[in-house]
Amino acid sequence: MATFIGILELNRGSSSLRPSRSIEICVTSVNMLSTLLDNSTTVLIFVATILLVWYVITLPSMRGLPPGPFPLSLFGNFLMLRMPGADFIGILKDLKEKYGKIFTLKIGSKPFIYINDLKLLQEAFVKRGDVLSSRPHNFYVLKKIEEKAGVGVSLSNGQPWKELRRVSLTAMRDLGVGKKSLEEKVLEEVHVVLDIIGQQRGKPVAMKPWLVKATSNVISSVMFGSRFDFNDPRFNLLLKRLGEATSVNFLFMPANFFPLLRYFTKSEAKIIKTLATTSAYIKELVADHEETFDPDNIRDFVDLVLKMRNSPTGRHFNDLNMRRAIVDIFSAGSETTATTLQWLLYFMATNPAVQHRCQAEIDEILGDGRSVTHADKEKLRFTEATILETLRYRPVAPFGIPHGVDRSFELAGYTIPRDAVVFSNITAIHNDPNIFPNPEIFDPSRWLDKNGDITGRDRLLSFSLGPRSCLGEILAKMELFMFFTSILQFYTVQAQSVDLTPVLGFVSKGKDQAVVFKKR
Ligand code: HEM
C-alpha cells in the first residue's frame, strides 16, 4: 500500500519532469504492480493448494459416513449454520427432508451425525448403548469449562460415569423422588407459586423467573434438605448465572473447531463464570454438611453421598466429582422443568378448548379443591396428555445432548467413526407425520387411545432414551404434573397473543411474555 501511495505522489508532482523520466517511472510502476499481483496470485494459489491438500487428506475420513451437504475445506458445513440470520431448526429440517433417516454435517473437521428416525434412534441409543453412551470429549469449550475433563454425572464417561449415575439415581429414589414423601416438598413450592399468581390480582405477569425459583427449590430440597428464600440474593445470582449459561450454545462455538480463534475469543468466559459461581456455592454447602454429618441421620442427597463414598460402590465420589454431580443435577433440573411449565402456560393461553377440558377433568377428580397428589395422575389422563403434547411440541433439548462414540460401529449401513458426535434429532421425530399425524397441530388427544388411556409414551423423546437418558425424568414429570394441575385448578390462563417461536441456546426456551391468570 505504501508503495502505491509513493508512486501516486511521484506522478502527481511529475508534470515538470522530462518525458524519458516519466516513461522510466511508468515502467517501474508497472513492474511493481505486476510484482504485487504476482505475490497475491502466489498467495492465492498457496492457500488454494493448502485447502485442496487438506480436503484430500480429510476425504478418506468421510468415506462410509451418512450422506450430507458438501463440506468446504477447513470450515466443513459450519458457515451454513452460522450465516447471519441462519435458522438452525429450519436448516436441519430441510436436511432431514433431503437426506432422510440420518445425515452428516461436517463442523470443521468433525462429523456431526443427526439421527432423524425413531427406530434408528432406538437402535443407536438403546441397542448400541454399549458404544454410544459417552459424551464427546474433544470439545475445546467443554474442556475449558470443566475443572477437570470428564467429571460429574453429565460429562463423565466409562466406569466413573456409570457409578456416579447409579449412586445419584439410588439417592434420588431413596430421598422420595417419585414417591409420596417428596410430594410435600413439591406442594410447598406449588403454593408459593400460587401465592405469587394471586398477588398479581389479574395483572399480566411473566412467570418464568418464579417458575425457575420454584423448580430449583424442589431440587434444592432433595440435594441440600432445604429451600432458598425467593429473595435470597445469592440464590438469585446462582439462577441468573445458570440462565445465562443455558442460553449459550457452546457446542457450536467457533473456538471448538478452529484452534486459531482460541487466542482471539473468550467465548467460554460466561459459562466459566457461571460454573465458578455455582461450584463455589456448592463447595460451601457441602462443607456445612460435612461439619454436621451424622451417618445415622441422613437428611438429603449430600449426606447420602457422603455416606456412600466410604463404601466400595461409591469410590468415584471424590470431592470434585461429588461437587460436579450436584452442580449437574441442580443445573440440569431447574431451567428445563421451568421452561416446560412456561410452555404449558403459553399453550393454555392459545388453546382455550384444551384448557377447558383439563379444568373439567381436574374439577371432577379433585372435587372441592383438595391439593393434588402424584397418584391423581392416573385419573387425570387428558391433563397428562396435555403435558406429553407440550413436551412433544416444544422439547427443551430439540437435538438432545450430544453423544460420543467409544469405537467405530455400523449403523443403517454407514460407518459411525470414533471422532463423530451423534445427535438425536428429537424435533424431526416429534414432527414426523407417520408417528404424529398433523404434527403442527397442538393436540393432546393424540396421546389417548379409544378408552381414554395414555398410549404411545415411547414415542416421546424429550428425555432421550437408553442408558444416558435424562436422570431427572421421574422428578421432572412429577413436578410438571403437580404444578400444572394446581395452577389450572385455581386459575384460567389468558393472553392477548403469545409468540410461540422457540429461542435456541444450549437448550430451547420460550420468549419471556406476560400472561394473565383469571381466578376461577
Ligand atoms: C422437562 C424437564 C427435563 C427435560 C426435557 C430433560 C431432558 C434431558 C435430556 C434430553 C438429557 C440428555 C439425555 C441424553 O444425553 O441422551 C438430559 C440429561 C440429564 N438430565 Fe434432564 N431433563 C429434564 C429435567 C431434569 C431434572 C429435573 C433433572 C434433575 C433432577 C435432570 C437431570 C439430568 C442429568 C443429570 C442429565 C445427564 C445424564 C447423564 O449424562 O447421564 N433433568 N435431560
Side-chain angles (χ1 to χ4, degrees), residues 125 135 153-156 161 165 172 219 325 328-330 332-334 336-338 340 391 395-397 400-403 424 426 461-465 467-473 475-477 479-480:
F125 278 19
R135 294 284 177 224
V153 188
S154 302
L155 294 174
S156 58
W161 164 67
R165 186 176 161 106
M172 295 214 321
I219 302 189
D328 287 347
I329 296 174
F330 194 79
S334 51
T336 43
T337 315
T340 308
L391 285 161
V396 178
I401 309 286
H403 286 213
S424 46
I426 295 175
L461 296 170
S462 306
F463 296 96
S464 190
L465 67 180
R468 197 105 211 187
S469 65
C470 174
L471 188 138
E473 179 173 353
L475 178 61
K477 284 184 169 164
E479 289 183 72
L480 291 174

Side-chain angles (χ1 to χ4, degrees), residues 384-414:
E384 189 192 348
T386 304
I387 296 172
L388 295 176
E389 181 66 349
T390 301
L391 285 161
R392 175 193 78 85
Y393 210 92
R394 285 289 177 264
V396 178
F399 307 103
I401 309 286
H403 286 213
V405 181
D406 289 336
R407 52 180 191 280
S408 148
F409 72 106
E410 296 285 306
L411 185 70
Y414 301 108

Side-chain angles (χ1 to χ4, degrees), residues 250-516:
F250 42 86
L251 286 178
F252 283 90
M253 280 180 176
N256 278 324
F257 315 104
F258 310 111
L260 264 181
L261 292 181
R262 293 170 196 171
Y263 300 99
F264 304 108
T265 59
K266 282 276 164 282
S267 40
E268 68 282 0
K270 222 178 195 177
I271 312 165
I272 292 173
K273 212 164 141 190
T274 303
L275 283 178
T277 313
T278 338
S279 264
Y281 197 19
I282 288 184
K283 236 183 212 169
E284 276 179 35
L285 291 169
V286 172
D288 283 352
H289 273 69
E290 277 171 332
E291 260 176 42
T292 52
F293 176 67
D294 171 4
D296 298 322
N297 176 25
I298 298 302
R299 299 160 293 186
D300 49 36
F301 185 93
V302 177
D303 272 0
L304 253 180
V305 171
L306 284 173
K307 188 175 175 181
M308 278 186 191
R309 71 182 186 168
N310 294 322
S311 75
T313 50
R315 65 186 193 286
H316 288 291
F317 267 101
N318 54 31
D319 281 353
L320 180 59
N321 265 335
M322 174 169 158
R323 201 167 64 247
R324 283 308 307 267
I326 296 169
V327 174
D328 287 347
I329 296 174
F330 194 79
S331 49
S334 51
E335 184 71 39
T336 43
T337 315
T339 295
T340 308
L341 280 170
Q342 185 191 35
W343 282 122
L344 273 160
L345 298 179
Y346 291 167
F347 285 126
M348 290 309 94
T350 47
N351 294 274
V354 171
Q355 177 165 218
H356 186 71
R357 195 167 156 191
C358 286
Q359 285 173 325
E361 190 184 61
I362 292 168
D363 291 350
E364 191 190 326
I365 302 300
L366 299 188
D368 55 357
R370 74 165 165 86
S371 289
V372 67
T373 67
H374 194 218
D376 290 322
K377 195 159 147 188
E378 253 178 50
K379 292 179 215 125
L380 293 171
R381 291 175 198 152
F382 187 77
T383 308
E384 189 192 348
T386 304
I387 296 172
L388 295 176
E389 181 66 349
T390 301
L391 285 161
R392 175 193 78 85
Y393 210 92
R394 285 289 177 264
V396 178
F399 307 103
I401 309 286
H403 286 213
V405 181
D406 289 336
R407 52 180 191 280
S408 148
F409 72 106
E410 296 285 306
L411 185 70
Y414 301 108
T415 303
I416 311 298
R418 202 169 169 268
D419 66 336
V421 181
V422 179
F423 291 84
S424 46
N425 193 345
I426 295 175
T427 299
I429 299 171
H430 281 180
N431 285 286
D432 182 343
N434 297 316
I435 305 174
F436 298 102
N438 302 317
E440 65 292 345
I441 297 174
F442 181 85
D443 176 15
S445 60
R446 67 171 83 247
W447 297 97
L448 298 173
D449 65 13
K450 56 181 185 327
N451 301 320
D453 292 328
I454 299 285
T455 179
R457 285 179 213 268
D458 58 348
R459 293 173 297 167
L460 185 78
L461 296 170
S462 306
F463 296 96
S464 190
L465 67 180
R468 197 105 211 187
S469 65
C470 174
L471 188 138
E473 179 173 353
I474 296 176
L475 178 61
K477 284 184 169 164
M478 184 177 180
E479 289 183 72
L480 291 174
F481 175 71
M482 293 182 70
F483 274 94
F484 178 57
T485 305
S486 305
I487 293 174
L488 289 203
Q489 188 180 7
F490 298 106
Y491 295 97
T492 298
V493 190
Q494 295 175 333
Q496 291 264 306
S497 68
V498 182
D499 183 349
L500 296 171
T501 319
V503 182
L504 199 58
F506 184 64
V507 294
S508 162
K509 302 184 187 183
K511 294 181 178 168
D512 277 338
Q513 297 161 84
V515 293
V516 167

